[in-house]
Amino acid sequence: MASRILLALLVLLIGWRGGSAAPPAWGRRGMRVPERAGDPNSQVKFDFSPFLIEYRSGRVKRLMGTDVVTASADALTGVTSRDVTVDLATGVAARLYLPSFRATAKVPVLLYFHGGAFVVESAFTPIYHAYLNTLAAKAGVLAVSVNYRLAPEHPLPAAYDDSWAALKWVLANAAPGTDQWLSQYGDLSRLFLAGDSAGGNIAHNLALRAGEEGLDGGARIKGLALLDPYFQGRSPVGADAMDPAYLQSAARTWSFICADKYPIDHPYANPLALPASSWQRLGCSRVLVTVSEQDRLCPWQRAYYTTLRTSGWPGQAELYQTPGEGHVYFLTKLSTPQAQAEMATLVAFINRN
């Protein structure tokens, strides 16, 4: 299981292989998937290995990211977590993480959005539970890890809408007499959004919406941390060895994630398509973008940083690069020097005045 998770994270959250539009169906690494004639439960509609396989009956078989751990008091970090329901109608939930500190302290509030190609993982999987425990402890933040709905059962923009609802829930529940942790310990003048991979994409799109629509009570997002974010488009933005087959596969998987609602060069996937006026309204004062050298998305990630800095947006942007590592390596290599250095950069970004 561990090797499967590591492989999936390094491959990225876009189509490693793409989808199979018609029989014969081919499974992982080109292996033929046995089919029973006339049985839609065994006929592959879309093969998004190593993440999931969707069958013609509508059944979805997830190949990773389905294990969960319960909220708890973590002995290693001293962080306590608990789960809350954000929206009963949609089932959107979140896991809150509270670090150990003096009872009178007010701490930054960090909304975190997990990765997983918009199709796997959750706020409750072991990888994200460990990462958020560590981040909450080191940064001294009250973290809210959002469990948004996944495609293909809930194609985009469901994840965006769910995450927006979670942001509004945080703002509403920081008032006295609402959520005990948020109202007593949360400092909304230090509100941050962060996410890795697909979660970084979500965080960006929420900050953009916040800048355009505003937030309840006049709240403002202080910082936006995009950790190896999922951005891409049809153009390799100047990168000099992009595989056309990879770009085609990425377009197919994006189409699968959003049920053909948006092309791959829609601003949801490719912020470079945004006009300068939208960049200028990005609803935060600081942005951190992290890039892993071996990540195939790094050309778009670097272009995002460059475009933001030259757009006329009045905030401060920072780029952090890790050599020799692949996409979101820090999730599975949390104790390595490289991951610890990246964590230290994120902690410093959050705690900078």
Side-chain angles (χ1 to χ4, degrees):
M1 181 66 182
S3 61
R4 177 182 291 173
I5 292 174
L6 177 58
L7 173 63
L9 290 168
L10 293 177
V11 166
L12 209 206
L13 29 56
I14 36 177
W16 175 36
R17 292 189 49 82
S20 175
W26 296 83
R28 303 183 64 194
R29 302 185 183 181
M31 298 297 291
R32 181 69 176 258
V33 177
E35 294 184 358
R36 294 190 296 274
D39 182 4
N41 265 319
S42 69
Q43 296 173 347
V44 174
K45 180 180 180 181
F46 195 91
D47 184 349
F48 198 178
S49 298
F51 303 111
L52 60 75
I53 297 173
E54 183 185 31
Y55 295 89
R56 294 192 176 278
S57 65
R59 180 171 68 94
V60 175
K61 180 181 180 180
R62 287 185 165 82
L63 306 175
M64 58 164 290
T66 58
D67 293 341
V68 298
V69 293
T70 58
S72 62
D74 185 62
L76 183 62
T77 61
V79 173
T80 302
S81 56
R82 65 182 176 88
D83 297 337
V84 298
T85 299
V86 171
D87 188 327
L88 280 171
T90 60
V92 177
R95 177 161 291 178
L96 277 62
Y97 294 83
L98 187 69
S100 299
F101 52 82
R102 293 179 181 177
T104 58
K106 285 274 190 176
V107 299
V109 176
L110 172 76
L111 266 79
Y112 193 91
F113 308 98
H114 68 82
F118 297 98
V119 299
V120 294
E121 298 292 347
S122 76
F124 314 128
T125 53
I127 281 180
Y128 285 101
H129 186 70
Y131 186 78
L132 268 295
N133 272 324
T134 303
L135 178 57
K138 289 184 177 293
V141 298
L142 197 172
V144 181
S145 183
V146 179
N147 197 56
Y148 54 86
R149 291 172 294 171
L150 301 176
E153 299 93 333
H154 306 283
L156 292 179
Y160 300 138
D161 294 339
D162 293 349
S163 299
W164 182 254
L167 175 56
K168 291 173 71 69
W169 181 90
V170 166
L171 298 177
N173 281 274
T178 52
D179 183 84
Q180 180 180 356
W181 286 5
L182 281 167
S183 61
Q184 185 172 353
Y185 302 117
D187 180 1
L188 289 186
S189 71
R190 293 181 287 168
L191 175 64
F192 290 82
L193 306 184
D196 67 277
S197 202
N201 176 296
I202 292 171
H204 156 77
N205 279 292
L206 257 62
L208 199 65
R209 183 171 176 180
E212 294 172 344
E213 299 181 15
L215 294 175
D216 297 342
R220 292 185 59 82
I221 299 165
K222 186 170 184 180
L224 175 66
L226 309 179
L227 312 178
D228 293 8
Y230 170 75
F231 298 138
Q232 62 177 355
R234 291 192 183 279
S235 166
V237 295
D240 58 1
M242 296 298 289
D243 180 1
Y246 169 79
L247 297 174
Q248 293 173 4
S249 176
R252 287 196 300 272
T253 54
W254 171 257
S255 182
F256 173 73
I257 290 163
C258 68
D260 297 316
K261 291 181 181 177
Y262 314 107
I264 189 66
D265 278 317
H266 188 280
Y268 279 160
N270 184 10
L272 303 181
L274 289 167
S277 58
S278 292
W279 288 96
Q280 293 162 9
R281 291 194 299 269
L282 187 68
C284 59
S285 57
R286 292 193 282 119
V287 173
L288 169 67
V289 181
T290 74
V291 176
S292 298
E293 182 185 35
Q294 294 181 3
D295 187 349
R296 297 189 79 168
L297 294 185
C298 65
W300 289 276
Q301 296 159 356
R302 293 191 182 105
Y304 176 97
Y305 166 76
T306 301
T307 303
L308 179 61
R309 288 199 64 188
T310 59
S311 67
W313 171 69
Q316 298 178 335
E318 177 180 350
L319 180 67
Y320 181 85
Q321 303 187 71
T322 301
E325 293 289 357
H327 186 67
V328 295
Y329 74 95
F330 47 83
L331 292 175
T332 55
K333 299 180 178 181
L334 192 54
S335 62
T336 64
Q338 294 90 336
Q340 290 180 2
E342 181 158 333
M343 175 69 75
T345 299
L346 177 57
V347 168
F349 174 79
I350 292 170
N351 288 301
R352 189 178 308 141
N353 291 327

